Amino acid sequence: MRKNIVAGNWKMNNDLKATRKLVKQIKKSIEDKDLNNTRVVIAPTFVNLATAVKRSKKSKLEVAAQNMHQATNGAYTGEVSGEMLKSIGVKTVILGHSERRAYFGETDALLAEKVNTALANNLEIIFCFGEELTDRKEGNQEAVVESQIKNALFQLDSNAFKHIVLAYEPVWAIGTGETASPEQAQDMHAFIRNTLASKYGSEVADSVSILYGGSVKPANAKEIFSKPDVDGGLIGGASLKVDDFSAIVSAF
Ligand code: PEP
């Protein structure tokens, strides 16, 4: 059975002290929760990953990186490799976030390389994609999402999908307060699952967790998560406040 996941993307927020504090608070808030089939993940910035990993040991909290470089190692000043992430105990990496695509020029082709490298390092991937507002206004959202998935993931064999979580994040809903309606999310998630099924079969498609991301808050999480093809959320802003994040975890 596929897992539910609530993952917090901290982006470029929280210094060392704030990281220690929030990790402690989140750990405490989920300690006594019956998490059932739900994984709880946080993605702090690179410099605080080792601290977060150390402080999450023997707890229900998992730690992910927000990005990694596509090369194994070498002369790439300022970059971080999958091997380095593994070496400090990080098991999951977010790839393809819309901010990486928009501000750092990450293309589908580059992301295909990153995906391959992450898997070669035995890292699990939370792979993000989603359409822009103009795509949706023009009715092109499915075509855009389909090509993002095909271009970055369809070089993989079906076994790879044991290590991949998908995160549908319509760009127009990220950090804007604007959320896709539960029906819009469900329609797109069903489309994504069908896209996977068309290439890998329904067993693989049904086994992959598909998260929704875009202004998820305690007030809307329950309804979005109640949809059959929505297996959780990638949470930005609301993951920085323990009460909000914990309430979103409880929405399952
Ligand atoms: C995100 O950045 O992945 C995200 C979903 O952000 P927010 O929840 O703030 O919209």
Side-chain angles (χ1 to χ4, degrees):
M1 191 171 70
R2 59 182 187 255
K3 284 263 186 190
N4 297 323
I5 302 172
V6 176
N9 175 12
W10 290 6
K11 311 191 184 188
M12 199 172 72
N13 293 296
N14 289 332
D15 63 10
L16 180 60
K17 195 168 162 209
T19 297
R20 286 183 180 141
K21 186 173 169 199
L22 191 52
V23 167
K24 190 171 171 189
Q25 289 175 326
I26 294 172
K27 264 177 23 181
K28 192 164 184 312
S29 82
I30 60 174
E31 204 169 60
D32 299 326
K33 273 197 198 359
D34 179 5
L35 290 181
N36 223 336
N37 188 39
T38 305
R39 293 170 56 195
V40 182
V41 182
I42 51 164
T45 185
F46 281 136
V47 289
N48 293 322
L49 279 174
T51 296
V53 168
K54 214 180 279 171
R55 288 175 182 240
S56 305
K57 280 215 173 98
K58 296 195 189 126
S59 81
K60 297 173 181 171
L61 186 61
E62 300 175 42
V63 177
Q66 298 174 17
N67 180 34
M68 55 164 263
H69 195 267
Q70 64 276 18
T72 306
N73 53 38
Y76 301 101
T77 302
E79 291 293 332
V80 173
S81 72
E83 208 170 86
M84 290 168 187
L85 297 177
K86 275 301 274 192
S87 74
I88 59 163
V90 170
K91 297 193 175 72
T92 303
V93 61
I94 298 172
L95 293 177
H97 191 278
S98 68
E99 286 150 19
R100 299 292 320 168
R101 293 175 189 258
Y103 308 145
F104 303 96
E106 295 200 0
T107 60
D108 290 345
L110 176 77
L111 290 167
E113 283 186 60
K114 290 194 177 200
V115 163
N116 293 342
T117 308
L119 292 172
N121 281 289
N122 296 318
L123 288 163
E124 176 191 51
I125 298 164
I126 299 177
F127 183 76
C128 308
F129 52 88
E131 82 282 0
E132 309 259 353
L133 185 57
T134 45
D135 301 321
R136 186 159 280 267
K137 279 192 174 153
E138 289 162 10
N140 288 334
Q141 64 272 17
E142 290 187 349
V144 169
V145 160
E146 186 177 14
S147 75
Q148 287 171 325
I149 293 173
K150 284 186 172 171
N151 293 342
L153 300 179
F154 273 20
Q155 77 281 12
L156 300 173
D157 64 28
S158 58
N159 269 334
F161 284 86
K162 292 185 182 128
H163 312 288
I164 291 183
V165 171
L166 299 180
Y168 166 60
E169 300 205 297
V171 179
W172 48 271
I174 296 180
T176 58
E178 183 111 6
T179 321
S181 69
E183 291 70 31
Q184 282 173 321
Q186 168 55 28
D187 286 352
M188 184 57 91
H189 284 222
F191 172 77
I192 293 163
R193 220 178 279 292
N194 284 336
T195 302
L196 281 188
S198 69
K199 164 97 173 160
Y200 297 101
S202 56
E203 202 176 319
V204 170
D206 287 342
S207 71
V208 174
S209 298
I210 308 177
L211 315 185
Y212 167 79
S215 299
V216 176
K217 305 272 181 277
N220 58 25
K222 207 174 181 126
E223 216 188 331
I224 295 171
F225 295 170
S226 71
K227 295 295 175 192
D229 285 295
V230 179
D231 306 308
L234 183 55
I235 321 297
S239 72
L240 300 172
K241 295 180 209 120
V242 66
D243 290 347
D244 286 357
F245 191 59
S246 167
I248 292 169
V249 171
S250 296
F252 272 114

